[in-house]
Amino acid sequence: METLCRITSTFENVRNAIKNKNSSERLQSLKKDFQSLNTELVVLGKENHDNFVRSLAMEGYLALLSAKTIPISLMEKKNILQVAFDKLKPYALREECLFILLRIQNLLCYYLIQLDQITIVRDLLENMEDLYDKISKFPSDKYVDAEDLFTVESLENVKRVNPEKIDKVITNNVQMQAFLYNKLNLPDKYTLYNHTALRRQLEMKEGTPQDWALRTARLGNYFTYLNQIGNARHHLCAGYHVLRTCHDNCKLMPEEFVLQKADFEMHFLELSHHWVKYGLTLFKLSKKKILNKYFTQPTSRADLWKTVDFMDEPIDNTEKFEEENLKDQGAEKTGKGDYTPEKLFTFPTLDLKEMESRVPLDIVCNVEEARKLFAFTHKWLMRAKHYYDFEHHFAQYISCSLQLAELYEHLAFFERNIDNQYSIQKRRADVLETLNSLLKSCDNVMSVQIDVIRELSQVQLELMALNLQKLWREESHTNILNLDTDADSIINSLDSMESNKTLTEKTLNTSCKNMFLRKMEAATSLNGKLFRLSGQLGTRTPSQLSLATSFLKN
């Protein structure tokens, strides 16, 4: 009992020294008291075997304080914590040791990451996972904080730590594990542990809703990058739902809302960018699926005469679609990916069914679905684009304009009506021409302008091709050869003076031919716009333009 009294008294001095940060003698006093306490704790453990584990927990807490307060090297801090952790690990589930062990583990892993000892951190964190499972099987209100052990009271009378504190430390360790897997470039494990940390924080209501919503939306954006569309949609919806709920609640408190209004605007702006990437990615994957379906023939040569008509046959469901994209990336099928999202990658406490039902998820296989996805993505893109102006947000304005042009390109791909395709491509051209005219007034943007001009040339070729299709359609309808009525005249003409003319020349009269050629000439002249887009290009020929572009790109 006397030993415990001396320990309690000395520890009170340590507390006062830590609080008195301006004292010049603080550091020397702390070192002296730490040495004294460590000696007394060894004596306490030897005097009474019942206090042995208690003394280890108290030593662990002193090691934690030493690493935080004493100005020593990072390696020395790591060594102090490593020794304390090894002593406590065999008694991990004891009520005196659990909480301080988790805290030591958290800080030790942080120092190990700073020292770039990644392998050691990974082993340490993964070996603790079984302990997390065991903790859930015991009453969560039985553990104590090691700081409260520095008292003369018996262990039974020491107050118990709030279970939320234990959950919070475990969550921090899980989040650190996610960070580690991201550093090791293990996307499957990174997404799993990052989601687990977010789910635990949501259930505990840890931190601010705004911070949680943004981190969840960023994980959704990462799922989009991995082409895991179902998981991406769920996380983006969760982030938007929590952020919108927080926004509406703040509006009920006018003074608070005024302070946070600008922050909310930036948060929603970031979400807009994530949703735009989601829509564009779904378009890209849909096009890839369709083109692979019709032009990839693994057993024989592709039938280049086959007409691509993606509305006649149904496309595989989204689950198979995502599975194939995961295989394309070389991902391993571990059972912990996008295959069972209802078990691994959902937030059960949030009701998102109605919101998710309004977000396109399936692969696009016809023009109606393409228009739906276009409308959804276009809405979010306009929210972002209206926020930026060319003068103050140069890079963001360019990015939004290029994304809008890309969005029109995707919609045109699925549109079957030639007139509608032409209208969509014309809008795409207008966006790019507007952007190009703005770039002319800026310096040091030649590389960007060349990319814009290259895309404009592609648009002009698309427009020219559509014009030729329309011309061919008109001529084929008005000048179709009737074999029943004209067969005799064609056969008789073979021996005539005009027998050296082609069949087309024999069946189309002169006025039709002239009209056709005039229309062909008008359509071809559309591509001439390209060489008037930039004053910097001068009067160079197409071959010179191509050569200069390749040099600039290199």
Side-chain angles (χ1 to χ4, degrees):
M1 181 62 73
E2 292 181 2
T3 304
L4 200 55
C5 289
R6 290 196 300 270
I7 290 173
T8 302
S9 177
T10 307
F11 183 72
E12 191 62 32
N13 295 335
V14 171
R15 280 179 170 172
N16 293 331
I18 292 175
K19 292 178 182 179
N20 190 14
K21 297 181 179 180
N22 297 324
S23 173
S24 58
E25 301 177 355
R26 170 176 176 268
L27 185 58
Q28 292 298 326
S29 175
L30 279 175
K31 289 182 177 179
K32 179 181 177 181
D33 289 337
F34 280 141
Q35 290 176 354
S36 175
L37 282 172
N38 282 321
T39 302
E40 294 286 359
L41 287 172
V42 172
V43 174
L44 177 66
K46 290 181 178 179
E47 284 182 349
N48 189 338
H49 185 71
D50 292 339
N51 286 328
F52 175 70
V53 177
R54 178 174 180 170
S55 66
L56 289 180
M58 296 162 78
E59 283 185 48
Y61 186 71
L62 289 180
L64 189 69
L65 287 179
S66 299
K68 286 184 173 182
T69 58
I70 303 298
I72 53 180
S73 69
L74 200 61
M75 182 61 73
E76 289 176 308
K77 292 182 178 183
K78 171 256 177 184
N79 291 335
I80 290 174
L81 292 177
Q82 186 70 64
V83 171
F85 182 84
D86 293 339
K87 285 184 178 181
L88 290 172
K89 185 67 184 296
Y91 309 96
L93 289 174
R94 289 286 294 265
E95 55 188 338
E96 309 100 307
C97 300
L98 176 68
F99 187 53
I100 186 61
L101 177 70
L102 293 174
R103 293 181 64 185
I104 291 174
Q105 176 209 354
N106 186 267
L107 189 58
L108 175 59
C109 289
Y110 174 73
Y111 291 150
L112 287 169
I113 290 175
Q114 286 188 312
L115 292 168
D116 204 28
Q117 298 182 9
I118 303 301
T119 304
I120 299 176
V121 182
R122 180 176 181 177
D123 292 340
L124 194 154
L125 288 170
E126 291 180 346
N127 290 334
M128 290 291 286
E129 291 188 58
D130 291 336
L131 178 64
Y132 303 153
D133 295 333
K134 293 177 182 178
I135 293 173
S136 62
K137 299 176 182 178
F138 293 95
S140 57
D141 57 350
K142 63 175 265 186
Y143 303 103
V144 299
D145 190 343
E147 181 179 4
D148 296 327
L149 294 175
F150 290 87
T151 177
V152 296
E153 297 288 341
S154 63
L155 184 61
E156 292 77 12
N157 296 327
V158 176
K159 69 176 182 179
R160 267 43 190 170
V161 69
N162 189 333
E164 290 184 359
K165 288 187 176 181
I166 297 177
D167 289 338
K168 184 175 180 179
V169 177
I170 293 176
T171 301
N172 289 341
N173 289 338
V174 172
Q175 199 167 12
M176 189 177 295
Q177 204 164 345
F179 168 81
L180 180 68
Y181 288 135
N182 187 41
K183 192 177 181 69
L184 293 172
N185 194 25
L186 299 172
D188 289 343
K189 290 191 173 183
Y190 164 70
T191 53
L192 177 61
Y193 283 85
N194 195 359
H195 169 83
T196 302
L198 289 169
R199 177 178 52 78
R200 293 175 62 91
Q201 289 171 338
L202 177 66
E203 293 170 354
M204 294 186 298
K205 296 184 178 179
E206 179 186 339
T208 66
Q210 298 96 315
D211 178 64
W212 187 91
L214 286 182
R215 288 191 294 112
T216 302
R218 288 165 188 166
L219 179 57
N221 190 52
Y222 187 69
F223 275 123
T224 301
Y225 167 76
L226 296 177
N227 296 338
Q228 298 183 27
I229 301 301
N231 291 335
R233 182 181 72 168
H234 186 78
H235 284 72
L236 290 173
C237 284
Y240 178 75
H241 171 77
V242 171
L243 187 61
R244 172 56 64 183
T245 302
C246 180
H247 174 271
D248 294 343
N249 290 335
C250 281
K251 289 180 71 174
L252 301 177
M253 301 175 286
E255 295 182 359
E256 181 72 17
F257 183 71
V258 170
L259 295 175
Q260 299 194 37
K261 185 177 180 180
D263 292 334
F264 276 120
E265 190 175 51
M266 296 305 298
H267 297 339
F268 282 117
L269 184 63
E270 181 176 337
L271 270 172
S272 298
H273 289 298
H274 296 330
W275 278 122
V276 170
K277 183 178 178 181
Y278 172 91
L280 292 175
T281 300
L282 187 52
F283 263 128
K284 290 176 185 175
L285 296 178
S286 300
K287 289 172 64 174
K288 176 185 174 183
K289 184 74 175 180
I290 290 168
L291 294 175
N292 284 345
K293 180 179 178 64
Y294 285 95
F295 294 105
T296 301
Q297 303 288 339
T299 58
S300 60
R301 295 185 62 185
D303 184 4
L304 300 181
W305 292 95
K306 186 174 183 179
T307 301
V308 177
D309 189 352
F310 40 80
M311 292 202 302
D312 293 342
E313 298 182 27
I315 307 295
D316 296 339
N317 59 44
T318 305
E319 182 178 353
K320 293 181 180 179
F321 169 57
E322 293 183 6
E323 183 176 338
E324 288 183 9
N325 281 285
L326 285 173
K327 290 179 180 178
D328 289 343
Q329 298 175 14
E332 295 182 1
K333 189 172 181 180
T334 61
K336 292 185 177 181
D338 202 38
Y339 311 105
T340 56
E342 68 281 356
K343 296 181 180 179
L344 290 175
F345 294 107
T346 58
F347 300 104
T349 57
L350 297 179
D351 184 9
L352 303 173
K353 290 183 179 180
E354 182 180 354
M355 182 181 294
E356 288 183 330
S357 66
R358 299 195 297 267
V359 179
L361 175 66
D362 298 331
I363 16 180
V364 178
C365 57
N366 56 51
V367 67
E368 287 77 16
E369 293 175 356
R371 290 171 181 171
K372 181 180 179 182
L373 180 56
F374 174 87
F376 174 84
T377 310
H378 185 267
K379 176 189 71 174
W380 286 105
L381 180 55
M382 288 299 101
R383 287 187 181 185
K385 194 171 187 296
H386 289 158
Y387 180 84
Y388 301 122
D389 61 82
F390 188 77
E391 183 179 356
H392 299 95
H393 304 91
F394 175 78
Q396 293 87 342
Y397 182 90
I398 292 176
S399 176
C400 287
S401 297
L402 293 176
Q403 286 178 330
L404 182 58
E406 181 183 353
L407 195 57
Y408 281 125
E409 179 185 7
H410 290 314
L411 181 61
F413 176 84
F414 290 93
E415 181 61 64
R416 301 191 70 190
N417 183 279
I418 295 179
D419 294 327
N420 291 344
Q421 285 188 53
Y422 189 90
S423 176
I424 295 169
Q425 293 287 5
K426 189 66 174 67
R427 291 187 181 186
R428 179 185 171 200
D430 292 340
V431 172
L432 293 170
E433 286 176 351
T434 301
L435 177 60
N436 186 67
S437 63
L438 291 172
L439 292 175
K440 287 180 181 179
S441 62
C442 300
D443 298 328
N444 303 321
V445 292
M446 180 59 112
S447 60
V448 178
Q449 192 171 8
I450 287 175
D451 289 337
V452 173
I453 292 174
R454 182 182 293 108
E455 188 165 353
L456 262 170
S457 68
Q458 178 188 346
V459 178
Q460 296 300 333
L461 291 173
E462 294 279 0
L463 291 172
M464 184 174 66
L466 290 171
N467 272 294
L468 293 175
Q469 286 186 56
K470 288 194 289 185
L471 292 173
W472 172 254
R473 181 182 59 185
E474 292 173 7
E475 296 302 330
S476 62
H477 281 299
T478 57
N479 299 287
I480 294 177
L481 179 66
N482 190 328
L483 295 179
D484 293 331
T485 58
D486 297 338
D488 292 337
S489 60
I490 293 175
I491 293 173
N492 293 332
S493 67
L494 293 177
D495 295 328
S496 66
M497 295 292 292
E498 296 182 355
S499 59
N500 60 333
K501 293 185 178 180
T502 65
L503 184 62
T504 302
E505 289 176 314
K506 294 170 184 174
T507 54
L508 296 180
N509 58 46
T510 304
S511 61
C512 288
K513 284 195 297 181
N514 291 338
M515 179 181 67
F516 184 75
L517 292 173
R518 285 197 301 271
K519 290 183 178 180
M520 288 278 289
E521 182 181 3
T524 306
S525 67
L526 287 174
N527 203 34
K529 283 186 176 182
L530 169 63
F531 306 104
R532 298 192 299 272
L533 293 177
S534 173
Q536 299 167 342
L537 295 177
T539 57
R540 288 178 288 178
T541 64
S543 59
Q544 290 174 323
L545 174 62
S546 177
L547 183 62
T549 300
S550 63
F551 283 139
L552 285 170
K553 288 298 287 183
N554 293 333

